[in-house]
Amino acid sequence: MVPLCLGQNAARYAKQMVVVVARRDLARKRAKQNLAFINHADPSDFPSEKAIKLSQTYYNTANLAQIEEAQKMGILDGVTTNPSLMAKENIVGDDAVIKHYKDICNIVDGDVNAEVISTDFEGMKKEGDSFAALDPKIVVKIPMTLEGIMAAKYFSSKGIKTN
C-alpha cells in the first residue's frame, strides 16, 4: 500500500477523490471477477475489499474542520501532521498539541501520524511514548537518523507503530 498525502487544500479536491474512489471500487470488483474466472472459484472466496485495498488517502493537515469533512465523505484513511502544521493552526505548547492529537483521533478511524521534535534518542523515546499512550491509532513519526533508527527499534520492541 502506498499512502497518498494531500495538502492543506485537499477538501477542495473531494469531488475528484470521490470519482477516484468509485473507479478504484469498480477496478476491485473487476479484479475479483477476473480472478474468480481464472481460478474457477467463487468471488466470495477472495479477500475482503479492505484486504485488497490498493492505496490509502492520508490528509497532511492539522485543521480539524478539513479532517472532519473528509471523514464524513468517507475518503479519509488517516492523518499525518507535524509541528509546523500544528503551528499554522495556532496550536502551541505541549498540552495543546496533546489535546489536538486526541481531537484528531476522536474524528479519524485510521492512523494518526504524530511527529516527534526531539533529535536525540532519549527525547524521541519520551515524546513517542507519550504520543503512543494517547490512542492506539497513533503512529510515531521519527527522523531517519542514527538516533531515529535506534528509536524505531525501541518502539518496535514495544509494539508501537512508527513512520
Side-chain angles (χ1 to χ4, degrees):
M1 275 189 262
V2 178
L4 173 65
C5 294
L6 301 174
Q8 289 285 102
N9 297 319
R12 243 192 280 162
Y13 304 107
K15 288 182 183 176
Q16 292 172 348
M17 292 301 299
V18 170
V19 170
V20 170
V21 169
R23 287 182 183 157
R24 182 186 66 200
D25 290 346
L26 179 61
R28 283 185 193 146
K29 182 178 179 182
R30 286 184 182 158
K32 276 177 128 178
Q33 290 169 345
N34 289 342
L35 287 172
F37 176 76
I38 291 167
N39 294 317
H40 305 286
D42 182 356
S44 64
D45 293 339
F46 294 97
S48 68
E49 293 291 325
K50 198 165 186 91
I52 61 170
K53 191 168 187 177
L54 302 175
S55 66
Q56 292 182 325
T57 305
Y58 280 72
Y59 271 26
N60 190 23
T61 184
N63 184 294
L64 292 178
Q66 289 178 352
I67 295 168
E68 286 173 344
E69 183 178 359
Q71 182 66 31
K72 286 178 185 171
M73 287 190 284
I75 61 171
L76 184 64
D77 292 308
V79 171
T80 183
T81 189
N82 59 49
S84 63
L85 292 173
M86 290 285 199
K88 271 185 175 178
E89 298 297 321
N90 296 317
I91 301 154
V92 289
D94 292 344
D95 293 338
V97 168
I98 295 293
K99 181 188 179 311
H100 203 73
Y101 278 125
K102 286 180 183 178
D103 292 342
I104 294 172
C105 287
N106 288 332
I107 297 169
V108 178
D109 293 332
D111 291 338
V112 176
N113 289 273
E115 185 173 336
V116 299
I117 57 173
S118 295
T119 57
D120 65 299
F121 174 68
E122 290 301 322
M124 287 185 232
K125 269 178 43 176
K126 182 180 175 188
E127 282 182 71
D129 282 337
S130 72
F131 287 152
L134 296 175
D135 194 286
K137 297 174 195 170
I138 293 285
V139 176
V140 180
K141 286 173 64 174
I142 51 178
M144 276 289 92
T145 61
L146 180 58
E147 302 277 323
I149 293 168
M150 291 169 40
K153 183 176 180 183
Y154 165 80
F155 292 127
S156 177
S157 72
K158 292 183 70 176
I160 296 171
K161 296 181 280 185
T162 61
N163 178 0

